[in-house]
């Protein structure tokens, strides 16, 4: 098989990585994708890093068996815990999620930014280093988004429960006079409609997914792996648990549901 025509692997603890997949599809509509949702082990956020490394290792082996040419770790928690291990262990390019502290810190006028992420992401080297490097003169108001991933997975991103929980998490940030809110978990972009409703105007919500998609495209070009054959791209979805939420999000999403060549397969599979 021509290596350029191989699919891009992408994984998350669940449906969160779809917020990244849609940005990838937008800028690389000729690429094929294999999406793995580890729904049976979701959420990752509160699990020890050792466990996340084990799961990420197992999913990576599976994606390599599916002939993926590169892997996007579309999960901030898995990136924080496992990306160093994956890069050392497997001979293919990995693209991870980076908390968007840099753009928020460079653009803040109030010198105060908010970061919403999982406990696992805040514990990671990447978060600590990025904050030290870019946010040393900025007040970072951070909050673990306990319970938010579960609501998104249950299809309750637009519910009253989500609104109540988000209010509890962002009100202290608003009191800190933030003007940027960094979404440090790939599930959280699905909460944007509720966030927009409860946040005062003028607070910018930063989702790193478009930047990660651009970085993926750049890496493919660097490795000469970008697909130049426009025929028959496909997306295959695998899930280690129930996949209704994947179906539901894909069907409602403007980009994913109008995917040019909608060859989509869903399969439930236990691998780890
Ligand atoms: N989407 C994952 C992330 O970006 C969610 C983590 C979880 O499963 O708790 O961190």
């Amino acid at each position: 098989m021509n290596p350029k025509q191989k699919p891009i692997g992408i994984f998350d603890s669940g449906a969160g990585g779809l917020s990244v997949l849609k940005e990838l599809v937008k800028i690389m509509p000729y690429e094929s994708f294999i999406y793995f949702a580890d729904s049976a082990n979701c959420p990752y956020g509160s699990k020890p890093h050792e466990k996340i490394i084990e799961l990420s290792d197992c999913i990576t082996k599976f994606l390599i068996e599916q002939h993926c040419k590169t892997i996007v770790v579309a999960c901030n928690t898995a990136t924080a815990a496992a990306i160093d291990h994956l890069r050392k262990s497997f001979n293919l390019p990995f693209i991870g999620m980076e908390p968007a502290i840099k753009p928020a810190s460079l653009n803040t006028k109030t010198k105060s930014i908010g970061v919403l992420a999982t406990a696992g992401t805040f514990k990671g080297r990447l978060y600590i280093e990025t904050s030290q490097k870019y946010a040393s003169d900025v007040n970072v108001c951070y909050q673990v988004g306990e319970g938010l991933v579960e609501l998104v997975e249950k299809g309750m991103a637009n519910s009253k429960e989500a609104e109540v929980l988000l209010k509890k998490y962002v009100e202290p940030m608003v009191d800190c006079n933030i003007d940027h809110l960094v979404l440090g978990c790939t599930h959280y972009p699905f909460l944007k409609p509720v966030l927009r409703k409860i946040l005062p105007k003028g607070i910018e919500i930063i989702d790193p997914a478009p930047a990660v998609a651009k970085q993926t495209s750049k890496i493919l070009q660097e490795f000469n792996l970008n697909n130049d054959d426009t025929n028959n791209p496909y997306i295959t979805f695998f899930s280690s648990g129930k996949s209704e939420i994947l179906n539901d999000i894909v069907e409602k999403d403007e980009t994913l549901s109008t995917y040019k060549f909608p060859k989509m397969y869903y399969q439930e599979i236990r691998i780890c």
Side-chain angles (χ1 to χ4, degrees):
M1 187 183 195
N2 177 349
K4 286 169 166 270
Q5 285 165 22
K6 290 180 174 179
I8 297 173
I10 166 166
F11 77 88
D12 178 46
S13 64
L18 295 176
S19 64
V20 181
L21 178 66
K22 73 175 187 181
E23 298 302 327
L24 290 164
V25 170
K26 260 189 215 165
I27 66 165
M28 293 181 281
Y30 302 128
E31 296 288 349
S32 294
F33 297 92
I34 296 192
Y35 185 95
F36 188 90
D38 194 9
S39 315
N41 294 301
C42 188
Y44 277 8
S46 47
K47 288 193 169 55
H49 274 191
E50 296 70 36
K51 181 69 190 166
I52 313 274
I53 291 175
E54 192 188 300
L55 295 169
S56 303
D57 190 277
C58 171
I59 296 165
T60 297
K61 284 181 184 142
F62 173 75
L63 290 172
I64 291 172
E65 274 164 29
Q66 308 302 311
H67 310 289
C68 290
K69 60 185 174 185
T70 186
I71 293 180
V72 180
V73 183
C75 173
N76 292 73
T77 314
T79 302
I83 200 131
D84 293 341
H85 163 85
L86 297 175
R87 286 189 174 132
K88 263 188 243 146
S89 312
F90 300 96
N91 188 22
L92 77 170
F94 286 89
I95 297 96
M97 302 302 299
E98 202 173 309
I101 309 252
K102 182 181 171 187
S105 301
L106 291 176
N107 292 315
T108 175
K109 301 236 165 15
T110 59
K111 291 284 167 210
S112 187
I113 64 168
V115 184
L116 194 58
T118 67
T121 295
F122 284 125
K123 272 195 284 175
R125 177 185 63 79
L126 209 56
Y127 173 74
I128 297 165
E129 282 178 10
T130 318
S131 321
Q132 282 167 351
K133 194 163 169 196
Y134 298 106
S136 56
D137 63 339
V138 169
N139 173 36
V140 182
C141 202
Y142 65 92
Q143 173 66 49
V144 172
E146 191 83 54
L148 294 174
V149 167
E150 289 87 335
L151 285 176
V152 173
E153 288 290 321
K154 281 190 213 150
M156 292 171 69
N158 285 309
S159 63
K160 191 75 209 156
E161 285 89 336
E163 188 173 332
V164 170
L165 209 49
L166 283 168
K167 263 195 185 149
K168 186 173 115 190
Y169 293 155
V170 301
E171 269 168 8
M173 298 184 181
V174 175
D175 291 344
C176 279
N177 200 23
I178 63 158
D179 59 359
H180 287 74
L181 173 63
V182 174
L183 302 183
C185 169
T186 54
H187 280 77
Y188 299 169
F190 297 111
L191 298 162
K192 259 199 244 172
V194 176
L195 278 169
R196 288 233 167 82
K197 199 165 110 187
I198 61 178
L199 282 174
K201 281 201 182 69
I203 296 185
E204 195 173 330
I205 302 172
I206 309 194
D207 168 10
V212 170
K214 267 195 209 144
Q215 176 66 6
T216 306
S217 165
K218 200 174 134 213
I219 296 281
L220 287 181
Q221 273 161 28
E222 257 172 51
F223 283 79
N224 197 23
L225 283 172
N226 48 314
N227 195 3
D228 40 24
D229 177 359
T230 58
N231 284 323
N232 297 323
Y234 61 87
I235 307 183
T236 303
F237 295 93
F238 289 98
S239 170
S240 58
K242 296 259 166 291
S243 60
E244 283 96 18
I245 187 68
L246 292 181
N247 259 305
D248 203 46
I249 292 180
V250 170
E251 266 165 30
K252 286 186 189 136
D253 183 83
E254 238 174 79
T255 310
L256 294 174
S257 62
T258 55
Y259 188 61
K260 246 190 186 163
F261 305 95
K263 279 192 173 181
M264 297 196 189
Y265 306 98
Y266 292 88
Q267 196 177 329
E268 226 177 285
I269 185 168
R270 271 299 176 109
I271 56 163
C272 308

